[in-house]
Amino acid sequence: MNADPLTDNRIAFDSVAADYDGPSGNNALIQQLRAQTMAAVLRRVPAGSRLIDLGCGTGLDAAYLAERGYRVTATDWSPEMVRRTQQRAASAGLAQRLEARRLGIQEIAQLPATAFDAAYSDLGPLNCVPDLEAAARGLAQVLAPGGWLIASVIGRLCPWELALFAARNDWARARVRFARGPVPVPLNGHTVWTRYLWPGEFAAIFRRAGFRRLEQRGLGLFLPPPYMDAFAARHPRLTAGLARLECGLGGWPVLRGWGDHFLMVLQLAARP
Ligand SMILES: C[S@@+](CC[C@H](N)C(=O)[O-])C[C@H]1O[C@@H](n2cnc3c(N)ncnc32)[C@H](O)[C@@H]1O
């Protein structure tokens, strides 16, 4: 473990970049979560808009959106992830609409003011930022007035995880998501410092930076969390039923605050 969480996180994500498109980063359960985030972007933001992907990983989402006519700047703190995104853009012939660059979310204010119509962040990059308050202020600068933030964020109350670790009598593990600050989460023999968040905590941080919460739903609420993909594969009918439940009930009051992740749509106030 390094002294600096950002360095630990970079090393950890660099180490998984080569295999990320397989079961570790894009298994069938993850694809169901990803689909919800992409649907929210398509619903809220017109094609042709300028998007910034915060924590793009290997560029799966960025390529998906560039193929649909968006102009995407894909950013990540891990140089290996950025390299994979650049390769994807080149091999898919998307280089005109998809630019990948190394940039931490904590560095976002370095970008030109009002450069983007919307930002999205899929599957937890915003949980890895040491000072999310400062990042929210930076994001408010680089978005145009009325700009969108569509984020899937790792939540605190994951019913499956609680049940799983309670059944194993592993209360230390069951409690991990309720820690106050960032906690060290193992990844591929390395450490990712992760700050779990309630949706209300997340919305409050962004409200102070000028954003308003418009939509929220639980992800991985009825569906098991991504690390239970072997279980999901053994029970395809159950998993399909749970996916339908999640689709129908994931936006309901109370339930929308639970899940492995939550999806939130926020809008920056239009300046007078
Ligand atoms: C779980 S992956 C999700 C990747 C991608 N959004 C996806 O949906 O496949 C988390 C990503 O966040 C990136 N990340 C972690 N900390 C970051 C930071 N401070 N700034 C930008 N990216 C970061 C990691 O390098 C990794 O690519």
Side-chain angles (χ1 to χ4, degrees):
M1 195 181 304
N2 208 288
D4 170 22
L6 283 168
T7 304
D8 280 340
N9 292 358
R10 174 182 57 70
I11 292 168
F13 283 111
D14 272 351
S15 81
V16 294
D19 297 326
Y20 185 83
D21 295 349
S24 67
N26 202 34
N27 66 38
L29 289 170
I30 295 176
Q31 287 174 33
Q32 304 218 36
L33 309 191
R34 191 185 291 293
Q36 297 282 336
T37 307
M38 292 299 93
V41 175
L42 297 180
R43 203 168 54 242
R44 292 287 185 175
V45 190
S49 300
R50 302 159 301 164
L51 301 180
I52 179 162
D53 185 330
L54 305 169
C56 61
T58 58
L60 290 162
D61 293 340
Y64 175 89
L65 292 166
E67 276 162 4
R68 282 157 185 77
Y70 295 92
R71 289 170 287 156
V72 187
T73 300
T75 64
D76 203 285
W77 180 237
S78 150
E80 285 305 312
M81 291 290 195
V82 173
R83 210 167 53 79
R84 295 288 317 280
T85 302
Q86 286 165 339
Q87 284 167 350
R88 186 185 303 283
S91 62
L94 291 169
Q96 294 286 330
R97 283 204 299 273
L98 168 50
E99 182 215 357
R101 58 185 282 186
R102 184 179 183 218
L103 188 88
I105 297 167
Q106 65 281 0
E107 301 171 316
I108 184 118
Q110 294 175 11
L111 296 174
T114 69
F116 301 100
D117 304 303
Y120 65 91
S121 185
D122 205 0
L123 298 167
L126 291 166
N127 296 90
C128 302
V129 181
D131 185 347
L132 190 56
E133 288 75 2
R137 289 192 297 273
L139 186 60
Q141 284 174 38
V142 304
L143 284 180
W148 300 93
L149 169 61
I150 294 161
S152 91
V153 179
I154 310 172
R156 288 190 184 270
L157 202 161
C158 175
W160 272 93
E161 189 165 299
L162 270 183
L164 181 71
F165 291 110
R168 292 180 186 166
N169 220 6
D170 186 350
W171 295 103
R173 183 64 186 78
R175 272 200 307 270
V176 156
R177 288 181 184 240
F178 298 98
R180 268 179 73 91
V183 292
V185 174
L187 178 69
N188 198 29
H190 301 281
T191 298
V192 176
W193 291 91
T194 305
R195 178 183 178 190
Y196 295 98
L197 290 157
W198 290 111
E201 292 177 279
F202 183 81
I205 290 168
F206 280 86
R207 187 172 56 243
R208 289 193 284 277
F211 291 84
R212 192 162 58 103
R213 167 170 40 175
L214 295 184
E215 211 183 299
Q216 185 188 309
R217 59 185 303 114
L219 300 179
L221 163 67
F222 293 99
L223 279 169
Y227 55 80
M228 290 181 69
D229 58 317
F231 169 87
R234 278 199 308 277
H235 303 282
R237 289 220 327 232
L238 171 66
T239 306
L242 293 171
R244 281 194 298 277
L245 262 185
E246 182 147 324
C247 236
L249 304 183
W252 280 27
V254 183
L255 294 181
R256 64 184 171 218
W258 299 353
D260 183 56
H261 285 65
F262 57 84
L263 174 66
M264 197 178 287
V265 176
L266 305 101
Q267 190 173 27
L268 184 63
R271 284 170 210 132

